[in-house]
Amino acid sequence: MNNPSEYYKSCTLCPRACGVDRTSARGACGVGADVYAARAALHMWEEPCISGERGSGAVFFVGCSLGCVFCQNRAISRGGCGKPLTSDELADVFLRLENVSHANNVNLVTPTHFAPTVAEAIEKAKSRGLDIPVVWNSSGYESVDTLRLLDGLVDVYLPDLKYFSPAISAEYSHAVDYFERASAALDEMFRQVGEPLFSDGTGAVEAGIMTRGMIVRHLVLPTHTVDSRRVIRYIHDRFGDDVYISIMNQYTPASSNLPPELSRPLTEEEYDSVIGFAESIGVQYGFLQEGGTVDESFIPEFDGEGL
Ligand code: SF4
């Protein structure tokens, strides 16, 4: 890998391919070349094989290259907050999550726009003894070339596949090419990690924690259950039982400027109809969410804890 700073000078790290010099300006992701994070702490609300009993060591990065209108992490996704971290400091954060917090993994939340520095930090942490899995938790809107920087460094991919329809992705995320780019990204992620493996509890993490593999997440949006069915059919047709599918129900209307169809929570009938569809096509390995369709406990405090 080149020096990380080289990647930021004319940035094409994500499919936006802004070409801006992030050493002196911000790209569409809202951030420059300095890595900013807003929290690094145990997170209990990921899938059971990611959080386990001890919790997942979630590092929340500032900024986002996708910028959905309904963003649930609006407090940090547009930049202008958090704490700057060098790759050495980030490696220290990862090691504290393992050695002090006893996390089941390092869970990198929305790291795409900082990929070269994060890759360098993972290398440094692993050379200094990091032994828990590294999870790449992203929007799925990623460049295959950027993902190749992570080959051999990331153990578990946890991408979203948000939309099938280009019209819907253009309207809600200003990314008409979302499915085209995310589906190519998922292929590259799967090429790197392959079929799922789980801890037997004899190593650094609890029994049952995923140590290698891919979980594809899909947040069901109000009104758009037909698109959700297309997404789930695609994942199942493409990867069969070799990846897990996580079908999420916690959509929360997060702004007063949303289009009318997104201004209400998901109904239980909408969620159940998508789950019923997944079962009808033979999805076996997946995660559902139980309880109400809105739960703000999924959104943590972005108060700099652990940094
Ligand atoms: S990572 Fe940011 S600056 Fe780089 S191409 Fe994507 S949106 Fe643009």
Side-chain angles (χ1 to χ4, degrees), residues 209-226:
I209 294 296
M210 186 177 277
T211 56
R212 199 159 179 85
M214 183 157 93
I215 302 171
V216 184
R217 283 177 164 171
H218 177 70
L219 176 68
V220 183
L221 296 176
T223 314
H224 290 297
T225 56
V226 170

Side-chain angles (χ1 to χ4, degrees), residues 67-71 74 163 171-174 254-255 257-259 262:
C68 307
V69 296
F70 52 83
C71 180
R74 186 170 294 273
Y163 316 103
E171 183 174 2
Y172 296 157
S173 296
H174 312 292
S255 141
N257 295 326
L258 290 167
L262 295 185

Side-chain angles (χ1 to χ4, degrees), residues 39 43 45 60 73 296-302:
R39 179 182 175 88
H43 194 61
W45 296 285
F60 289 87
N73 285 343
E296 293 194 357
S297 67
F298 287 100
I299 303 171
E301 291 286 319
F302 296 118

Side-chain angles (χ1 to χ4, degrees), residues 161-164 168 218-235 247-248 266 270 273-274 277:
L161 190 57
K162 290 177 181 288
Y163 316 103
F164 188 87
I168 299 174
H218 177 70
L219 176 68
V220 183
L221 296 176
T223 314
H224 290 297
T225 56
V226 170
D227 203 59
S228 290
R229 291 172 189 223
R230 290 179 177 144
V231 166
I232 290 162
R233 181 179 286 288
Y234 172 79
I235 300 166
I247 304 174
M248 301 163 68
L266 183 73
E270 286 173 318
S273 77
V274 174
F277 174 76

Side-chain angles (χ1 to χ4, degrees), residues 11-20 22 26-29 31 65 113:
C11 186
T12 57
L13 284 171
C14 85
R16 302 271 182 218
C18 301
V20 299
R22 288 173 56 186
R26 294 182 184 188
C29 48
V31 287
S65 56
H113 45 292

Side-chain angles (χ1 to χ4, degrees), residues 55-103:
S56 175
V59 183
F60 289 87
F61 291 95
V62 171
C64 178
S65 56
L66 193 54
C68 307
V69 296
F70 52 83
C71 180
Q72 316 277 292
N73 285 343
R74 186 170 294 273
I76 60 171
S77 62
R78 300 324 304 147
C81 60
K83 180 180 174 188
L85 296 160
T86 64
S87 62
D88 277 307
E89 291 167 335
L90 200 49
D92 288 341
V93 168
F94 300 165
L95 289 162
R96 282 199 299 274
L97 286 168
E98 175 169 353
N99 298 323
V100 179
S101 304
H102 305 295

